[in-house]
Amino acid sequence: MKKDDCIFCKIAAGEIGSHTLYEDEDFRVIFDLNPGTKGHALVIPKEHADGIFDMDDETASKVLVVAKKVATAMKEAFNADGFNIIQNNGECAGQSVKHFHMHLFPRYEGDKALGLWKPGQTTDEELQVLEDKVKEILN
């Protein structure tokens, strides 16, 4: 399914030009026009899903294979020191386009491109409550 008002649907379909690093029947991987680091790219499924929660299992299982393949080539091509693979869901989590996409983010020593979270603290009791809640939904 494609959404007529979705810019990523148009890019994935080739209706809007992009610098495409990789394409197959399910995905297009393009360079981000507002990169966080040199080589920052996006894995975009050709079928529209607002986020991971709306994506079918088959596409979800394929996206990491594509991400690994392209990220491996990018790391070598750009001589990156490390790599982040990032996928955001929801505005509060940093998702700015309501079409599932995965960021391929080459990292370079000293780039300071992404701030990491500050480690917090928890207890075994708090973790047990959280574990029980998730398991209840999964079962």
Side-chain angles (χ1 to χ4, degrees):
M1 174 183 104
K2 180 182 159 207
K3 277 180 84 173
D4 292 334
D5 63 343
C6 176
I7 191 165
F8 278 6
C9 282
K10 292 176 182 177
I11 292 169
E15 295 171 19
I16 295 176
S18 64
H19 289 275
T20 300
L21 294 110
Y22 174 85
E23 183 175 10
D24 64 22
E25 65 185 35
D26 299 311
F27 299 95
R28 184 181 291 255
V29 181
I30 65 167
F31 281 121
D32 193 309
L33 292 179
N34 300 298
T37 62
K38 179 182 77 176
H40 178 182
L42 304 173
V43 179
I44 304 172
K46 292 183 177 179
E47 290 292 317
H48 184 86
D50 283 352
I52 191 78
F53 307 111
D54 307 305
M55 182 180 282
D56 66 83
D57 289 347
E58 184 178 349
T59 304
S61 69
K62 291 178 181 178
V63 72
L64 195 56
V65 174
V66 171
K68 178 186 178 225
K69 178 179 188 167
V70 178
T72 300
M74 291 170 66
K75 185 175 184 304
E76 181 179 338
F78 306 146
N79 199 29
D81 299 309
F83 222 92
N84 289 109
I85 297 176
I86 304 165
Q87 201 283 308
N88 305 317
N89 290 279
E91 193 173 324
C92 73
Q95 184 181 16
S96 59
V97 177
K98 294 281 182 166
H99 181 117
F100 175 95
H101 56 287
M102 186 173 279
H103 295 262
L104 303 181
F105 210 91
R107 299 304 304 272
Y108 307 94
E109 285 296 328
D111 67 25
K112 298 182 179 147
L114 293 173
L116 297 177
W117 64 88
K118 293 179 183 177
Q121 295 181 343
T122 190
T123 65
D124 283 336
E125 293 79 18
E126 290 171 323
L127 292 175
Q128 188 62 56
V129 169
L130 297 175
E131 177 184 332
D132 292 345
K133 285 182 179 185
V134 172
K135 285 181 175 178
E136 182 178 324
I137 293 169
L138 288 173
N139 295 326

